[in-house]
Amino acid sequence: MSIDIEDLAARIVLGERRALARAITLVESTRTDHRAAAEALLDRLADPSRAALRVGLSGTPGVGKSSVIEALGLQLVETGHRVAVLAVDPSSARSGGSILGDKTRMERLSRESAAFIRPSPAAAQLGGVARRTREAMLLCEAAGFDVVIVETVGVGQSETLVSRMTDVFVLLLAPAGGDELQGVKRGIMEIADLVLVNKADGDLAAQAMRTRADYAGALRLMRTRDTDPEGIPAARAISAHTGAGLQEAWAEVEKLAAWRRESGVTARVRAAQAGQWFEDELRADIEALLAADAELAARLDALRAEVEAGRAAPSAAARAVLDPLARALRDA
């Protein structure tokens, strides 16, 4: 496709949702010419002053992530916010395809002019987010969205990558989703800033309050972090169906984000996130370079066959590839 970077950047800054959608498609492309164009576009739009409040939201499948985001997003739009939702859908391990149905599940929010919903496939990326979620966040900020919500795949305890690209990480749980000891598990629980127990309505209301109390007690046992004010992490009960507790939960998010900005935590954490982003890109590009060289690719296939047959250790095979490259770099 023909790409006029200056025109596309100008339309994104004006808040055109179609231009934003096209830009995200561009940064998600793996074509070499598209990657070059995407990098030029991101450089053109770089402006730290346009940083939005970045919120990551995770939870097990079926807990109501899309319902909570829609209910919360509608409230935020009503109060003057512009909300972008980057929803990551799981990809099939067999076909590689994704349903990408989050926009359908958030039908009311998708009709709001001050909201933007973009589903993306997780593909082979682990950690519940897509490979280009970071770039998509920057594009949404350039388009004037002041709240960016990243909804993860929902894979459970290992889904922690989203916390390395957002300002506040929210974990969504269901009432009676497990015994009380679930709350003291490490991994995703220890990086959550706010734990929200959804479905606190109807017959589940009492159970939701008990679950909230269980998790509140478990969170108090967690090691304190220098990125948290008093009372964080916290647990709250909410209902996406009735809207109960959503305003209070968002007030908690804003209070935490403001404290971190004023105390310098946000600047420090975002700098560390940018460094991690650089390292992730470096690793991915090295793998791409190895695969793109026909001679190296054949060498990798041969070594992989040796490893699979049990005739070589994985670590030794990896060194057989990397040591010659390291020597060539030193001699260059």
Side-chain angles (χ1 to χ4, degrees), residues 185-263:
K185 281 187 176 179
R186 297 311 187 191
I188 199 168
M189 278 295 299
E190 67 181 358
I191 61 170
D193 297 310
L194 189 61
V195 173
L196 300 181
V197 180
N198 190 27
K199 305 181 182 182
D201 54 68
D203 294 339
L204 289 175
Q207 181 62 60
M209 295 307 295
R210 286 194 294 270
T211 303
R212 185 213 67 81
D214 291 338
Y215 277 96
L219 290 171
R220 283 194 291 269
L221 300 177
M222 296 289 181
R223 179 172 56 87
T224 57
R225 306 173 297 187
D226 60 1
T227 57
D228 297 339
E230 185 70 27
I232 295 295
R236 300 284 182 268
I238 63 167
S239 168
H241 178 64
T242 66
L246 284 175
Q247 287 186 350
E248 293 79 4
W250 182 251
E252 196 87 51
V253 169
E254 289 189 313
K255 180 181 176 182
L256 173 59
W259 183 90
R260 286 178 172 169
R261 281 195 306 270
E262 293 164 3
S263 61

Coordinates of all heavy atoms in Angstrom, one line a residue, residues 185-263:
K185 N -0.7 -16.6 46.1 CA 0.2 -17.1 45.0 C 1.0 -16.0 44.5 O 0.5 -14.9 44.3 CB -0.6 -17.8 43.9 CG -1.0 -19.2 44.2 CD -1.6 -19.8 43.0 CE -2.0 -21.3 43.3 NZ -2.6 -21.9 42.1
R186 N 2.3 -16.3 44.1 CA 3.1 -15.2 43.6 C 2.8 -15.1 42.1 O 1.8 -15.7 41.6 CB 4.6 -15.6 43.8 CG 5.0 -15.7 45.2 CD 4.6 -14.4 46.0 NE 5.1 -14.4 47.3 CZ 4.7 -13.6 48.3 NH1 3.7 -12.7 48.0 NH2 5.2 -13.6 49.5
G187 N 3.6 -14.4 41.4 CA 3.4 -14.2 39.9 C 2.5 -13.0 39.7 O 2.8 -11.9 40.1
I188 N 1.3 -13.2 39.1 CA 0.5 -12.1 38.7 C -0.1 -11.4 39.9 O -0.3 -10.1 39.9 CB -0.7 -12.6 37.8 CG1 -1.3 -11.5 37.1 CG2 -1.7 -13.4 38.6 CD1 -2.2 -11.9 36.0
M189 N -0.3 -12.0 41.1 CA -0.9 -11.3 42.2 C 0.1 -10.3 42.8 O -0.3 -9.2 43.2 CB -1.2 -12.4 43.3 CG -2.5 -13.1 43.1 SD -3.9 -11.9 43.3 CE -3.7 -11.4 45.0
E190 N 1.4 -10.6 42.8 CA 2.3 -9.7 43.4 C 2.6 -8.4 42.6 O 3.3 -7.5 43.1 CB 3.6 -10.4 43.8 CG 4.4 -10.9 42.7 CD 5.7 -11.6 43.1 OE1 5.9 -11.7 44.4 OE2 6.4 -12.1 42.3
I191 N 2.2 -8.4 41.3 CA 2.4 -7.2 40.5 C 1.1 -6.4 40.4 O 1.2 -5.3 39.8 CB 3.0 -7.5 39.2 CG1 2.1 -8.4 38.4 CG2 4.4 -8.2 39.3 CD1 2.5 -8.6 36.9
A192 N 0.0 -6.9 40.8 CA -1.3 -6.2 40.7 C -1.3 -5.0 41.6 O -0.9 -5.1 42.8 CB -2.4 -7.1 41.0
D193 N -1.8 -3.9 41.1 CA -2.0 -2.7 41.9 C -3.4 -2.6 42.5 O -3.5 -2.2 43.6 CB -1.8 -1.4 41.0 CG -0.4 -1.3 40.4 OD1 0.6 -1.4 41.2 OD2 -0.2 -1.1 39.2
L194 N -4.3 -3.2 41.7 CA -5.7 -3.2 42.2 C -6.3 -4.5 41.8 O -6.3 -4.9 40.6 CB -6.4 -2.0 41.5 CG -7.9 -1.7 42.0 CD1 -7.9 -1.3 43.5 CD2 -8.5 -0.5 41.2
V195 N -6.9 -5.2 42.7 CA -7.7 -6.4 42.5 C -9.2 -6.1 42.5 O -9.6 -5.6 43.6 CB -7.3 -7.5 43.5 CG1 -8.2 -8.7 43.3 CG2 -5.8 -7.9 43.3
L196 N -9.9 -6.4 41.5 CA -11.3 -6.1 41.4 C -12.1 -7.4 41.3 O -11.8 -8.2 40.4 CB -11.6 -5.2 40.2 CG -11.0 -3.8 40.1 CD1 -11.5 -3.1 38.9 CD2 -11.3 -3.0 41.4
V197 N -13.0 -7.6 42.2 CA -13.8 -8.8 42.2 C -15.1 -8.5 41.5 O -15.9 -7.7 42.0 CB -14.1 -9.4 43.6 CG1 -15.0 -10.6 43.5 CG2 -12.8 -9.7 44.3
N198 N -15.3 -9.0 40.3 CA -16.5 -8.6 39.5 C -17.7 -9.5 39.9 O -17.6 -10.4 40.7 CB -16.1 -8.8 38.0 CG -17.2 -8.3 37.1 OD1 -17.9 -7.3 37.4 ND2 -17.3 -8.8 35.9
K199 N -18.8 -9.1 39.3 CA -20.1 -9.8 39.5 C -20.6 -9.7 40.9 O -21.3 -10.6 41.5 CB -20.0 -11.3 39.1 CG -19.4 -11.4 37.6 CD -19.3 -12.9 37.2 CE -18.8 -12.9 35.8 NZ -18.7 -14.3 35.3
A200 N -20.3 -8.6 41.6 CA -20.8 -8.3 42.9 C -22.3 -7.8 42.9 O -22.6 -6.7 43.2 CB -19.9 -7.3 43.7
D201 N -23.2 -8.7 42.4 CA -24.6 -8.3 42.3 C -25.4 -9.6 42.4 O -24.9 -10.7 42.2 CB -24.8 -7.6 40.9 CG -24.3 -8.4 39.7 OD1 -24.9 -9.5 39.5 OD2 -23.4 -8.0 39.1
G202 N -26.7 -9.4 42.6 CA -27.6 -10.5 42.7 C -27.2 -11.6 43.7 O -26.7 -11.3 44.8
D203 N -27.3 -12.9 43.3 CA -27.0 -14.0 44.3 C -25.5 -14.0 44.6 O -25.1 -14.7 45.6 CB -27.4 -15.3 43.6 CG -28.9 -15.4 43.5 OD1 -29.7 -14.6 44.2 OD2 -29.4 -16.2 42.6
L204 N -24.7 -13.4 43.8 CA -23.2 -13.5 44.0 C -22.7 -12.4 44.8 O -21.5 -12.3 45.1 CB -22.5 -13.5 42.6 CG -22.6 -14.8 41.8 CD1 -21.9 -14.7 40.5 CD2 -22.0 -16.0 42.6
A205 N -23.5 -11.4 45.2 CA -23.1 -10.2 45.9 C -22.3 -10.6 47.2 O -21.2 -10.1 47.4 CB -24.2 -9.3 46.2
A206 N -22.9 -11.4 48.0 CA -22.3 -11.8 49.3 C -21.0 -12.5 49.1 O -20.0 -12.3 49.8 CB -23.3 -12.6 50.1
Q207 N -21.0 -13.4 48.1 CA -19.8 -14.2 47.8 C -18.7 -13.3 47.3 O -17.5 -13.5 47.7 CB -20.1 -15.3 46.8 CG -18.9 -16.2 46.5 CD -18.3 -16.9 47.7 OE1 -19.0 -17.7 48.3 NE2 -17.1 -16.7 48.1
A208 N -19.1 -12.3 46.5 CA -18.1 -11.3 46.0 C -17.4 -10.6 47.1 O -16.2 -10.3 47.1 CB -18.7 -10.4 45.0
M209 N -18.2 -10.2 48.1 CA -17.7 -9.4 49.2 C -16.7 -10.3 50.1 O -15.7 -9.8 50.5 CB -18.8 -8.8 50.1 CG -19.7 -7.8 49.4 SD -18.7 -6.5 48.6 CE -18.1 -5.7 50.1
R210 N -17.1 -11.6 50.2 CA -16.2 -12.5 51.0 C -14.9 -12.7 50.2 O -13.8 -12.7 50.8 CB -16.9 -13.8 51.2 CG -18.0 -13.7 52.3 CD -18.4 -15.1 52.7 NE -19.1 -15.9 51.6 CZ -20.4 -15.8 51.4 NH1 -21.2 -15.1 52.2 NH2 -20.9 -16.5 50.4
T211 N -15.0 -12.8 48.9 CA -13.8 -13.0 48.0 C -12.9 -11.8 48.1 O -11.7 -11.9 48.2 CB -14.2 -13.3 46.6 OG1 -15.0 -14.5 46.6 CG2 -13.0 -13.6 45.7
R212 N -13.5 -10.6 48.1 CA -12.8 -9.4 48.2 C -12.0 -9.3 49.5 O -10.8 -8.9 49.5 CB -13.7 -8.2 48.1 CG -12.9 -6.8 48.0 CD -13.7 -5.7 48.7 NE -13.9 -5.9 50.1 CZ -12.9 -5.7 51.0 NH1 -11.7 -5.2 50.7 NH2 -13.1 -5.9 52.3
A213 N -12.7 -9.7 50.6 CA -12.0 -9.7 51.9 C -10.9 -10.7 51.9 O -9.8 -10.4 52.5 CB -13.0 -10.0 53.0
D214 N -11.1 -11.9 51.3 CA -10.0 -12.8 51.3 C -8.7 -12.3 50.6 O -7.6 -12.4 51.0 CB -10.4 -14.1 50.6 CG -11.5 -14.9 51.4 OD1 -11.5 -14.7 52.6 OD2 -12.2 -15.7 50.8
Y215 N -9.0 -11.7 49.4 CA -7.8 -11.1 48.6 C -7.2 -9.9 49.3 O -6.0 -9.7 49.2 CB -8.3 -10.8 47.2 CG -8.3 -12.1 46.3 CD1 -9.4 -12.8 46.1 CD2 -7.1 -12.5 45.8 CE1 -9.4 -13.9 45.3 CE2 -7.1 -13.6 45.0 CZ -8.3 -14.4 44.8 OH -8.3 -15.5 44.0
A216 N -8.0 -9.1 50.0 CA -7.5 -8.0 50.7 C -6.5 -8.4 51.8 O -5.5 -7.9 52.0 CB -8.6 -7.1 51.3
G217 N -6.9 -9.5 52.5 CA -6.0 -10.1 53.5 C -4.8 -10.6 52.9 O -3.7 -10.5 53.4
A218 N -4.9 -11.3 51.7 CA -3.7 -11.9 51.0 C -2.8 -10.8 50.6 O -1.5 -10.9 50.7 CB -4.1 -12.7 49.9
L219 N -3.3 -9.7 50.1 CA -2.5 -8.6 49.6 C -1.7 -7.9 50.7 O -0.6 -7.4 50.5 CB -3.4 -7.5 48.9 CG -4.0 -8.0 47.5 CD1 -5.0 -7.0 47.0 CD2 -2.9 -8.2 46.5
R220 N -2.2 -7.9 51.9 CA -1.5 -7.3 53.0 C -0.3 -8.2 53.4 O 0.7 -7.6 54.0 CB -2.4 -7.2 54.2 CG -3.4 -6.1 54.1 CD -4.1 -5.8 55.5 NE -5.0 -6.9 55.9 CZ -6.3 -6.9 55.6 NH1 -6.8 -5.9 54.9 NH2 -7.0 -7.9 56.0
L221 N -0.2 -9.4 52.9 CA 0.9 -10.3 53.2 C 2.0 -10.1 52.2 O 3.1 -10.6 52.3 CB 0.5 -11.7 53.2 CG -0.5 -12.1 54.3 CD1 -0.9 -13.6 54.1 CD2 0.0 -11.8 55.7
M222 N 1.7 -9.4 51.1 CA 2.7 -9.2 50.0 C 3.8 -8.2 50.5 O 3.6 -7.3 51.3 CB 2.0 -8.6 48.7 CG 1.0 -9.6 48.1 SD 1.7 -11.0 47.3 CE 0.3 -11.8 46.7
R223 N 5.0 -8.4 49.9 CA 6.1 -7.5 50.2 C 5.8 -6.1 49.7 O 5.2 -5.9 48.6 CB 7.3 -8.0 49.4 CG 8.6 -7.2 49.7 CD 9.8 -7.9 49.1 NE 9.6 -8.2 47.7 CZ 9.8 -7.3 46.7 NH1 10.3 -6.1 46.9 NH2 9.6 -7.7 45.4
T224 N 6.0 -5.1 50.5 CA 5.8 -3.7 50.1 C 6.7 -3.3 49.0 O 7.9 -3.7 48.9 CB 5.9 -2.8 51.3 OG1 7.3 -2.9 51.8 CG2 4.9 -3.1 52.4
R225 N 6.2 -2.4 48.1 CA 7.0 -1.9 47.0 C 7.2 -0.4 47.1 O 6.3 0.3 47.6 CB 6.3 -2.3 45.7 CG 6.0 -3.8 45.5 CD 5.1 -4.0 44.3 NE 3.8 -3.3 44.3 CZ 2.9 -3.5 43.4 NH1 3.0 -4.4 42.4 NH2 1.7 -2.9 43.6
D226 N 8.4 0.0 46.6 CA 8.6 1.5 46.7 C 7.8 2.3 45.7 O 7.9 3.5 45.7 CB 10.1 1.8 46.6 CG 10.7 1.3 45.3 OD1 9.9 0.8 44.4 OD2 11.9 1.5 45.1
T227 N 7.1 1.6 44.8 CA 6.3 2.3 43.8 C 4.8 2.4 44.3 O 4.0 2.9 43.5 CB 6.2 1.4 42.5 OG1 5.8 0.1 42.8 CG2 7.6 1.4 41.9
D228 N 4.5 2.1 45.6 CA 3.2 2.1 46.1 C 3.0 3.0 47.3 O 3.9 3.0 48.2 CB 2.7 0.7 46.5 CG 2.7 -0.3 45.4 OD1 2.6 0.1 44.2 OD2 2.7 -1.5 45.7
P229 N 1.9 3.8 47.3 CA 1.6 4.6 48.5 C 0.9 3.7 49.5 O 0.7 2.5 49.2 CB 0.6 5.6 47.9 CG -0.1 5.0 46.8 CD 1.0 4.1 46.2
E230 N 0.6 4.2 50.6 CA -0.1 3.5 51.6 C -1.5 3.0 51.1 O -2.2 3.7 50.4 CB -0.4 4.4 52.9 CG -1.0 3.6 54.1 CD -0.1 2.7 54.7 OE1 1.2 2.9 54.6 OE2 -0.6 1.7 55.3
G231 N -1.8 1.7 51.4 CA -3.1 1.1 50.9 C -3.1 0.5 49.6 O -4.1 -0.1 49.2
I232 N -1.9 0.5 48.9 CA -1.8 -0.2 47.6 C -0.8 -1.3 47.8 O 0.3 -1.2 48.4 CB -1.3 0.8 46.5 CG1 -2.3 1.9 46.3 CG2 -1.0 0.1 45.2 CD1 -3.7 1.4 45.7
P233 N -1.1 -2.5 47.2 CA -2.3 -2.9 46.4 C -3.6 -3.0 47.2 O -3.5 -3.2 48.5 CB -1.9 -4.3 45.8 CG -0.9 -4.8 46.8 CD -0.1 -3.6 47.4
A234 N -4.7 -2.9 46.6 CA -6.0 -2.9 47.2 C -6.9 -3.8 46.5 O -6.7 -4.2 45.3 CB -6.6 -1.5 47.3
A235 N -8.0 -4.2 47.2 CA -9.0 -5.1 46.6 C -10.4 -4.4 46.7 O -10.7 -3.9 47.8 CB -9.0 -6.5 47.3
R236 N -11.1 -4.5 45.7 CA -12.5 -3.8 45.6 C -13.5 -4.8 45.0 O -13.1 -5.6 44.1 CB -12.5 -2.5 44.9 CG -11.5 -1.5 45.5 CD -12.1 -0.8 46.7 NE -11.2 0.2 47.2 CZ -10.3 0.0 48.1 NH1 -10.1 -1.2 48.6 NH2 -9.5 1.0 48.6
A237 N -14.7 -4.7 45.3 CA -15.8 -5.4 44.7 C -16.5 -4.5 43.7 O -16.9 -3.4 44.1 CB -16.7 -6.0 45.7
I238 N -16.8 -5.0 42.5 CA -17.5 -4.2 41.5 C -18.6 -5.0 40.8 O -18.6 -6.3 41.0 CB -16.6 -3.6 40.5 CG1 -15.9 -4.8 39.7 CG2 -15.5 -2.7 41.1 CD1 -15.2 -4.3 38.5
S239 N -19.4 -4.4 40.0 CA -20.3 -5.1 39.2 C -20.4 -4.4 37.8 O -20.8 -3.2 37.7 CB -21.7 -5.1 39.8 OG -22.7 -5.5 38.8
A240 N -20.0 -5.1 36.8 CA -20.1 -4.5 35.4 C -21.6 -4.4 35.0 O -21.9 -3.5 34.2 CB -19.3 -5.4 34.4
H241 N -22.4 -5.3 35.6 CA -23.8 -5.3 35.2 C -24.6 -4.1 35.8 O -25.3 -3.4 35.1 CB -24.4 -6.6 35.8 CG -25.9 -6.7 35.5 ND1 -26.4 -6.8 34.2 CD2 -27.0 -6.7 36.3 CE1 -27.8 -6.8 34.3 NE2 -28.1 -6.8 35.6
T242 N -24.3 -3.7 37.1 CA -25.1 -2.6 37.7 C -24.2 -1.3 37.7 O -24.7 -0.2 37.9 CB -25.5 -3.0 39.1 OG1 -24.3 -3.1 39.9 CG2 -26.3 -4.3 39.1
G243 N -22.9 -1.5 37.5 CA -22.0 -0.3 37.6 C -21.5 0.0 39.0 O -20.8 0.9 39.2
A244 N -22.0 -0.8 40.0 CA -21.6 -0.6 41.4 C -20.1 -0.7 41.6 O -19.5 -1.7 41.1 CB -22.3 -1.6 42.3
G245 N -19.5 0.2 42.2 CA -18.1 0.2 42.6 C -17.2 0.7 41.5 O -16.0 0.8 41.8
L246 N -17.7 0.9 40.3 CA -16.8 1.3 39.2 C -16.2 2.7 39.4 O -15.0 2.9 39.1 CB -17.5 1.2 37.8 CG -17.7 -0.2 37.3 CD1 -18.5 -0.2 36.0 CD2 -16.4 -0.9 37.0
Q247 N -17.0 3.6 39.8 CA -16.5 4.9 40.0 C -15.4 5.0 41.1 O -14.4 5.6 41.0 CB -17.6 5.9 40.4 CG -18.5 6.3 39.2 CD -19.5 7.3 39.6 OE1 -19.7 7.6 40.8 NE2 -20.2 7.9 38.6
E248 N -15.7 4.2 42.2 CA -14.7 4.1 43.3 C -13.4 3.5 42.8 O -12.3 3.9 43.2 CB -15.3 3.4 44.5 CG -16.5 4.1 45.1 CD -17.8 3.9 44.4 OE1 -17.8 3.2 43.4 OE2 -18.8 4.5 44.8
A249 N -13.5 2.4 42.0 CA -12.4 1.7 41.5 C -11.5 2.7 40.6 O -10.3 2.7 40.7 CB -12.8 0.5 40.7
W250 N -12.2 3.4 39.8 CA -11.5 4.3 38.9 C -10.8 5.5 39.7 O -9.7 5.9 39.4 CB -12.4 4.9 37.8 CG -11.6 5.8 36.9 CD1 -11.6 7.2 36.8 CD2 -10.6 5.4 35.9 NE1 -10.8 7.6 35.8 CE2 -10.1 6.5 35.3 CE3 -10.1 4.1 35.6 CZ2 -9.1 6.5 34.3 CZ3 -9.1 4.1 34.6 CH2 -8.6 5.2 34.0
A251 N -11.5 5.9 40.7 CA -10.9 7.0 41.6 C -9.6 6.4 42.2 O -8.7 7.2 42.4 CB -11.9 7.4 42.7
E252 N -9.6 5.2 42.6 CA -8.4 4.5 43.1 C -7.3 4.5 42.1 O -6.1 4.8 42.4 CB -8.8 3.1 43.5 CG -7.7 2.5 44.5 CD -8.0 2.8 45.9 OE1 -9.1 2.6 46.4 OE2 -7.0 3.2 46.6
V253 N -7.6 4.2 40.8 CA -6.6 4.2 39.8 C -6.1 5.6 39.6 O -4.8 5.7 39.5 CB -7.3 3.7 38.4 CG1 -6.3 3.9 37.3 CG2 -7.6 2.2 38.6
E254 N -6.9 6.6 39.5 CA -6.4 8.0 39.3 C -5.6 8.5 40.5 O -4.6 9.2 40.3 CB -7.6 8.9 39.1 CG -8.3 8.7 37.7 CD -9.3 9.8 37.5 OE1 -10.1 10.1 38.4 OE2 -9.4 10.3 36.3
K255 N -6.0 8.1 41.7 CA -5.3 8.5 42.9 C -3.9 7.9 42.9 O -2.9 8.6 43.1 CB -6.0 8.1 44.1 CG -5.3 8.5 45.4 CD -6.2 8.0 46.6 CE -5.5 8.3 47.9 NZ -6.2 7.7 49.1
L256 N -3.8 6.6 42.5 CA -2.5 5.9 42.4 C -1.6 6.5 41.3 O -0.4 6.8 41.5 CB -2.7 4.5 42.2 CG -1.4 3.6 41.9 CD1 -0.5 3.7 43.1 CD2 -1.8 2.2 41.7
A257 N -2.2 6.8 40.2 CA -1.4 7.3 39.1 C -0.9 8.7 39.4 O 0.2 9.1 39.1 CB -2.3 7.4 37.8
A258 N -1.7 9.5 40.1 CA -1.3 10.9 40.4 C -0.2 10.8 41.4 O 0.8 11.6 41.3 CB -2.5 11.7 41.0
W259 N -0.3 9.9 42.4 CA 0.8 9.8 43.4 C 2.1 9.4 42.7 O 3.2 9.9 43.1 CB 0.4 8.7 44.5 CG 1.4 8.6 45.6 CD1 1.5 9.3 46.7 CD2 2.5 7.7 45.6 NE1 2.6 8.9 47.5 CE2 3.2 7.9 46.8 CE3 3.0 6.7 44.7 CZ2 4.4 7.1 47.1 CZ3 4.1 6.0 45.0 CH2 4.8 6.2 46.2
R260 N 2.0 8.4 41.8 CA 3.2 8.0 41.1 C 3.8 9.1 40.2 O 5.1 9.2 40.1 CB 2.9 6.7 40.3 CG 2.8 5.5 41.2 CD 2.4 4.2 40.4 NE 2.4 3.1 41.3 CZ 2.0 1.9 40.9 NH1 1.5 1.7 39.7 NH2 2.1 0.8 41.7
R261 N 3.0 9.9 39.6 CA 3.5 11.0 38.8 C 4.2 12.0 39.7 O 5.4 12.4 39.4 CB 2.4 11.7 38.0 CG 1.9 11.0 36.8 CD 1.1 11.9 35.9 NE 0.0 12.5 36.6 CZ -1.2 11.9 36.7 NH1 -1.5 10.7 36.1 NH2 -2.2 12.5 37.4
E262 N 3.6 12.4 40.8 CA 4.1 13.5 41.6 C 5.4 13.0 42.4 O 6.2 13.8 42.7 CB 3.0 13.9 42.6 CG 1.9 14.6 41.9 CD 0.7 14.7 42.8 OE1 0.8 14.3 44.0 OE2 -0.4 15.2 42.4
S263 N 5.5 11.7 42.6 CA 6.7 11.2 43.4 C 7.8 10.8 42.5 O 8.9 10.4 42.9 CB 6.2 10.0 44.3 OG 5.8 9.0 43.4

